[in-house]
Amino acid sequence: MQSSNIPIYQKTDFKKMQKAGRLAAYILDQLYKLIQPGISTLEINDFCHDLIVKNKAIPAPLNYKGFPKSVCTSVNHVVCHGIPNDKKILNIGDIINVDVTVILDGWYGDSSRMFVAGKTNKKNLDLLKTTYECLHIGIKEAQPGKTLGDIGFKIQEYAESKNYSVVRDFCGHGIGKQFHTPPSVLHYGTKGEGTKLKAGMFFTIEPMINIGDWQVKILNDGWTAVTKDKSLSAQFEHTIGITEDGNEIFTLSENNTDFPINDL
């Protein structure tokens, strides 16, 4: 199956995405020491907002379809799209996903990482490690000639082999000069199915993995997605571009904190 409405970018566009992706990664790099017990999610938001603006970029989530803040902060059983606020204070052992998207010179860089407030327990750490591994298993599968179904299949196979579940309600997405474009990149699926990958496609891979059931619900604020069974959820995200012979990750950390978590 081919999809004609997926943007195909030129080699010169890779350079622009490198810059946008590098900035998103840089913002996340700075959170490694900032996120500690006692900090509020609003403080994380404000720190990111100021740093994005200082670097002559725009925080893409702010006012996007009415989203009120500059980043998403999703704590513990929040799957994604958590809204930063001054009442949510991190406690020791809390896990949090911070999702940063910048617009730099008209190009979007999108990435998210999990962080831990202080130290966490082995159960939580195993979830974080598996989710990070799922991201890279998906990226490894993203090769020209492969399909989107191949990516989802490999992620699902690995997560379920560890007795975790893969969220179905949210997925990765095309990105470039717009925040969200085709294709939708599911993190579950069937080998060989879906759109064939071609050089010049840009998209995110961002698996959301739960300790319990995969089902989620949206809270009354219209944004915050939580696990229905209140089990913990984790997510890591990179933006990539398909090349002639593989792929390029645009949002790699520059201080080796792609997995910014200390062991126990």
Side-chain angles (χ1 to χ4, degrees):
M1 182 178 117
Q2 294 288 351
S3 185
S4 58
N5 59 349
I6 298 173
I8 299 293
Y9 295 94
Q10 305 306 309
K11 285 184 178 174
T12 52
D13 297 331
F14 276 74
K15 294 261 188 275
K16 294 160 187 172
M17 282 298 280
Q18 286 165 3
K19 287 183 180 176
R22 202 177 296 131
L23 179 57
Y26 171 76
I27 305 298
L28 288 166
D29 285 349
Q30 309 316 305
L31 298 180
Y32 178 57
K33 291 181 178 171
L34 181 81
I35 292 177
Q36 299 289 343
I39 196 170
S40 73
T41 54
L42 183 63
E43 288 174 272
I44 296 168
N45 174 85
D46 293 352
F47 176 87
C48 292
H49 177 94
D50 291 347
L51 202 50
I52 292 167
V53 172
K54 185 180 170 188
N55 282 276
K56 299 182 172 55
I58 299 164
L62 186 60
N63 301 319
Y64 178 76
K65 296 187 176 178
F67 190 79
K69 297 297 178 186
S70 297
V71 297
C72 299
T73 51
S74 303
V75 182
N76 293 336
H77 72 292
V78 178
V79 175
C80 60
H81 302 156
I83 301 173
N85 66 82
D86 59 359
K87 293 183 178 61
K88 186 62 186 176
I89 309 293
L90 296 187
N91 296 310
I92 291 175
D94 281 347
I95 63 172
I96 178 173
N97 177 275
V98 182
D99 194 340
V100 171
T101 309
V102 303
I103 312 170
L104 183 64
D105 300 328
W107 293 82
Y108 286 74
D110 187 2
S111 185
S112 82
R113 292 180 207 164
M114 297 299 299
F115 298 85
V116 171
K119 300 273 185 172
T120 194
N121 59 41
K122 185 180 185 304
K123 181 181 173 186
N124 295 3
L125 192 62
D126 286 348
L127 171 67
L128 301 181
K129 284 181 174 176
T130 299
T131 306
Y132 184 71
E133 288 162 357
C134 281
L135 168 65
H136 285 280
I137 285 166
I139 292 172
K140 188 178 177 185
E141 203 64 17
Q143 306 283 334
K146 292 269 195 174
T147 68
L148 288 173
D150 293 335
I151 296 173
F153 174 80
K154 284 288 191 181
I155 291 171
Q156 181 181 12
E157 179 183 55
Y158 187 72
E160 291 179 354
S161 78
K162 301 279 191 175
N163 296 316
Y164 298 122
S165 64
V166 180
V167 171
R168 308 282 202 273
D169 302 60
F170 303 97
C171 60
H173 53 89
I175 190 168
K177 295 192 86 168
Q178 296 178 57
F179 200 164
H180 296 96
T181 71
S184 294
V185 184
L186 305 182
H187 304 113
Y188 62 97
T190 305
K191 200 183 287 190
E193 286 195 355
T195 301
K196 261 196 178 169
L197 303 181
K198 288 182 181 176
M201 288 182 176
F202 295 166
F203 53 82
T204 69
I205 299 178
E206 45 183 298
M208 285 149 263
I209 308 297
N210 298 346
I211 281 183
D213 189 75
W214 62 264
Q215 292 185 314
V216 307
K217 65 178 181 180
I218 308 295
L219 299 187
N220 291 335
D221 60 26
W223 283 101
T224 307
V226 299
T227 54
K228 273 192 178 175
D229 61 7
K230 296 190 175 171
S231 64
L232 288 182
S233 184
Q235 178 190 21
F236 284 89
E237 174 186 17
H238 274 313
T239 298
I240 70 169
I242 302 298
T243 62
E244 296 291 343
D245 56 358
N247 64 62
E248 178 179 351
I249 303 172
F250 296 126
T251 47
L252 282 174
S253 167
E254 293 190 352
N255 66 357
N256 294 316
T257 57
D258 275 320
F259 187 77
I261 294 140
N262 295 318
D263 280 355
L264 296 166

